[in-house]
Amino acid sequence: MSATVQAHIEDHADDHGHQHKQTFVTKYIFSQDHKMIAKQYLITGVLFMGFIGIAMSLLFRMQLAWPGESFSVFEALLGKWAPGGVMDADIYLALVTIHGTIMVFFVLTAGLSGTFSNLLIPLQIGARDMASGFLNMVSYWLFFISCVVMLSSLFIEAGPAAAGWTIYPPLSALPMAQPGSGLGMTLWLVAMAIFIASSLLGSLNYIVTVINLRTKGMSMTRLPLTIWAFFVTAIIGVVSFPVLLSAALLLIMDRSFGTSFFLSDIFIQGEVLHYQGGSPVLYEHLFWFLGHPEVYIVLLPALGITSEVMSTNARKPIFGYRAMIASIIAIAFLSTIVWGHHMFISGMNPFLGSVFTFTTLLIAIPSAVKAFNYITTLWKGNLQLNPAMLFSIGLVSTFITGGLTGIILGDSTLDINVHDTYFVVAHFHLVMGISALYGVFAGVYHWFPKMFEGKMMNKNLGYVHFWITAICAYGVFFPMHFVGMAGVPRRYYENTAFPMFDELTDVQVLMTVFALVAGLAQLVFLGNFIYSMFYGKIGPKNPWKSNTLEWTTPQEHIHGNWPGAIPQVHRWAYDYSKTGENGEYVIPGQDFIPQDVPLQEHEEEENH
């Protein structure tokens, strides 16, 4: 079956390349080429939606640092929601809601996986394209439509959805509950339904491509860890995203058709509503059954990118290749049975809480395997500290520091004390948000020449971007742990009603200043990206001296990736600094051996 599908793809590539001239629309807009679709995801998901999400976070951080102050930027951007430049309380929760939704789903799920799965899966496994170019195109355009629907909710009269990014009922189930429960909430649910359809189409395409279209010699144990990460991530998405779709559809029915899946015994201004028999805790189960695997849908691709970048720039084989694969699979399995740790104070059975505590602490083991293996890969390596490598090392740092606080939150007795405080916000921003963003940046710096026909990003601006971002990320989220332990609740518009928190105002100001500086640093990245895309210097064909197959393709993008036959694979992806019996490099004067180079005489394949 695999050979048949591959032959069909190759025939299609030849026919397409020789018989059809591409117009601007078919090449840049409705493209079915995985490389162009990857760029569409990058520009739409990471750059456009990412900068909107970051801008929202800066607005509400200013409100937290200087509550009640008048800012002209509030009036300019928020209009009627900031009369006289003072932010309205309703729009504050809406900004938090849309910021979380955009960053978790649109940037770190679609932006990260959509960009790098599309770019790298065919190139690194030796395929002409994805299994279905048409479904790939449909997947992107559904994502684009979901972005438009989500952003359109910012411009309606009642305002966007405002129930936190988790959209708990009853605020999400009762259109009359508050301004952010009206049409904006409906648009949120519609946007997420379209987004999930996009995600499922993309994930199925990635799975089929990896299983069926690997080139000759590319066994599963020779796949780069990036592909393993994208492959397992796609499987998690197919298993868990339909559950969120069911929650969204049931919410729409509660809102519009009078059902009571998530509603019971609701009082509004003393009036008893007719809803009976439902349970908002049921919604929590459905949401978090996706919500916790979602953490790893976001994180695993970033960890896969880090594996590739780190091994390449340490000039060493990745340490514990098979253990890394086992940890990816173990994380994927365990991530689907830990969702209840988000619900320790929901009234859930305490015995069930102890079960979820056990499985949550268990997931620390494969996570620690990955962290130790990264550190061991760096140990005594010939480190090339370019921007991609720095962001990969930064990811390991935030993954460890954020993960350590997860042990506290995963224990039901300890979690009760800091649940719904800024401690939780600090934890998940470090372990998921910042770590995954570092993975995005590492991937962009590393594969930029492959995306944009050999052009290189400016390395010095990359260093500026990394150091400011790294310092400011810890500047924002490290103090937040202490604010949380002091009891400051998350999602509050202001804490002036609580005199015990007055002394923490200076800490809020400090975190906000770090956040504003970090936001400016992303403009450095954006400027570097756009300038390099058009005017970047052309680098060598294999600028990082890497082993994987994508660097064997020509710099100029062609349909079908390779102009002739697809290269065969003879070895794993991490033969760096490999020496023969005489102590010399296997290829004299070259510390890397591409995967398509046959084994030399007397050379044994690494038993990784």
Side-chain angles (χ1 to χ4, degrees):
M1 179 181 173
S2 167
T4 308
V5 176
Q6 183 71 62
H8 172 74
I9 293 279
E10 292 190 29
D11 293 343
H12 175 71
D14 292 340
D15 292 346
H16 194 90
H18 289 107
Q19 295 181 13
H20 304 293
K21 287 289 183 185
Q22 287 190 306
T23 64
F24 178 86
V25 171
T26 57
K27 183 174 183 180
Y28 293 105
I29 301 176
F30 296 112
S31 174
Q32 296 186 29
D33 182 357
H34 71 100
K35 299 180 292 296
M36 182 57 66
I37 292 172
K39 288 192 274 191
Q40 289 175 325
Y41 268 109
L42 177 63
I43 291 168
T44 309
V46 176
L47 298 185
F48 185 71
M49 296 299 282
F51 275 85
I52 290 174
I54 289 171
M56 288 181 172
S57 70
L58 298 182
L59 290 176
F60 62 70
R61 277 247 54 98
M62 290 169 66
Q63 164 61 29
L64 286 168
W66 300 285
E69 292 286 326
S70 174
F71 292 98
S72 57
V73 68
F74 286 177
E75 195 163 21
L77 294 177
L78 303 176
K80 71 167 187 172
W81 298 104
V86 178
M87 186 183 292
D88 185 84
D90 286 329
I91 200 65
Y92 174 83
L93 183 56
L95 287 173
V96 172
T97 302
I98 304 299
H99 160 77
T101 305
I102 285 176
M103 297 306 291
V104 171
F105 294 111
F106 292 81
V107 179
L108 298 179
T109 300
L112 177 49
S113 282
T115 298
F116 293 105
S117 295
N118 269 301
L119 177 71
L120 296 177
I121 287 176
L123 290 174
Q124 289 197 337
I125 69 172
R128 295 291 185 192
D129 208 316
M130 283 289 178
S132 172
F134 176 75
L135 281 185
N136 209 14
M137 177 190 75
V138 171
S139 170
Y140 167 73
W141 279 103
L142 285 174
F143 166 64
F144 182 85
I145 291 168
S146 71
C147 290
V148 171
V149 173
M150 185 64 71
L151 293 179
S152 68
S153 71
L154 299 172
F155 300 99
I156 61 174
E157 186 69 24
W165 74 276
T166 53
I167 310 294
Y168 281 173
L171 291 181
S172 56
L174 292 172
M176 73 291 285
Q178 61 172 359
S181 301
L183 178 58
M185 185 66 68
T186 303
L187 290 172
W188 190 98
L189 292 166
V190 170
M192 286 308 301
I194 299 169
F195 174 87
I196 292 166
S198 160
S199 178
L200 289 174
L201 286 178
S203 295
L204 290 170
N205 220 350
Y206 305 151
I207 293 167
V208 172
T209 304
V210 171
I211 291 174
N212 282 336
L213 298 187
R214 302 189 308 278
T215 188
K216 187 175 181 181
M218 181 63 85
S219 64
M220 294 299 280
T221 52
R222 285 176 173 169
L223 285 175
L225 288 172
T226 38
I227 303 303
W228 268 105
F230 298 146
F231 177 60
V232 173
T233 298
I235 293 171
I236 306 174
V238 169
V239 169
S240 57
F241 260 118
V243 181
L244 182 64
L245 180 60
S246 69
L249 293 177
L250 294 179
L251 259 181
I252 290 172
M253 293 176 74
D254 274 9
R255 290 173 59 80
S256 304
F257 301 108
T259 58
S260 320
F261 292 106
F262 306 130
L263 294 170
S264 183
D265 303 326
I266 300 291
F267 291 78
I268 289 190
Q269 295 178 343
E271 179 188 348
V272 185
L273 302 187
H274 66 278
Y275 298 103
Q276 287 183 342
S279 169
V281 176
L282 170 61
Y283 175 85
E284 290 189 43
H285 280 293
L286 293 175
F287 182 89
W288 288 116
F289 189 84
L290 162 90
H292 202 83
E294 171 67 18
V295 171
Y296 294 99
I297 289 171
V298 162
L299 200 49
L300 282 179
L303 294 172
I305 288 167
T306 294
S307 300
E308 177 66 27
V309 171
M310 200 168 273
S311 180
T312 300
N313 290 296
R315 314 310 296 165
K316 276 181 63 182
I318 194 79
F319 184 86
Y321 174 83
R322 289 178 187 267
M324 292 288 256
I325 294 173
S327 70
I328 289 172
I329 295 170
I331 285 171
F333 171 71
L334 289 171
S335 74
T336 62
I337 56 172
V338 299
W339 78 88
H341 68 222
H342 297 270
M343 301 170 57
F344 285 147
I345 65 167
S346 67
M348 186 172 65
N349 186 312
F351 173 74
L352 201 53
S354 66
V355 173
F356 282 118
T357 296
F358 174 72
T359 56
T360 300
L361 297 181
L362 205 59
I363 206 170
I365 297 172
S367 301
V369 167
K370 297 194 80 65
F372 285 126
N373 283 18
Y374 289 135
I375 293 168
T376 317
T377 301
L378 292 173
W379 179 251
K380 293 188 176 179
N382 177 21
L383 305 185
Q384 316 293 307
L385 293 176
N386 52 44
M389 182 63 155
L390 289 174
F391 274 110
S392 296
I393 295 170
L395 184 152
V396 177
S397 168
T398 54
F399 185 54
I400 293 170
T401 51
L404 288 172
T405 55
I407 296 171
I408 296 168
L409 294 171
D411 188 308
S412 54
T413 52
L414 296 175
D415 174 74
I416 289 168
N417 299 286
V418 290
H419 195 91
D420 267 339
T421 70
Y422 274 100
F423 191 91
V424 180
V425 180
H427 159 73
F428 78 75
H429 273 86
L430 278 178
V431 79
M432 182 180 81
I434 300 298
S435 296
L437 276 177
Y438 283 179
V440 172
F441 292 138
V444 170
Y445 282 109
H446 188 75
W447 282 289
F448 190 89
K450 187 48 56 185
M451 280 190 271
F452 295 100
E453 302 188 335
K455 295 187 177 75
M456 306 285 285
M457 290 184 76
N458 184 296
K459 186 186 286 189
N460 291 329
L461 288 178
Y463 291 140
V464 171
H465 176 219
F466 169 74
W467 284 112
I468 298 178
T469 302
I471 293 167
C472 290
Y474 274 125
V476 174
F477 297 112
F478 197 75
M480 205 175 278
H481 291 94
F482 300 101
V483 173
M485 285 192 287
V488 178
R490 61 193 287 206
R491 295 181 181 157
Y492 275 36
Y493 164 71
E494 58 185 7
N495 293 299
T496 51
F498 307 100
M500 72 283 276
F501 298 145
D502 287 349
E503 61 191 25
L504 296 172
T505 304
D506 290 343
V507 184
Q508 293 281 18
V509 172
L510 176 70
M511 291 189 292
T512 301
V513 169
F514 273 121
L516 291 168
V517 175
L520 292 175
Q522 308 324 304
L523 295 178
V524 174
F525 168 74
L526 183 64
N528 190 4
F529 183 95
I530 294 173
Y531 181 85
S532 302
M533 188 165 60
F534 294 105
Y535 306 110
K537 291 181 180 177
I538 302 294
K541 183 178 177 182
N542 186 356
W544 317 118
K545 298 182 170 58
S546 189
N547 291 338
T548 41
L549 288 181
E550 73 269 26
W551 303 106
T552 64
T553 62
Q555 288 182 326
E556 180 191 356
H557 287 175
I558 58 171
H559 190 76
N561 296 332
W562 288 268
I566 296 176
Q568 294 185 24
V569 167
H570 302 278
R571 59 183 73 237
W572 72 326
Y574 301 105
D575 272 339
Y576 292 103
S577 302
K578 188 177 184 182
T579 55
E581 294 175 356
N582 58 2
E584 299 290 327
Y585 289 135
V586 172
I587 300 177
Q590 183 172 305
D591 68 348
F592 67 104
I593 316 170
Q595 283 187 280
D596 61 335
V597 173
L599 292 172
Q600 308 294 303
E601 191 176 353
H602 306 304
E603 182 192 358
E604 294 184 6
E605 187 172 3
E606 287 285 348
N607 183 18
H608 37 266

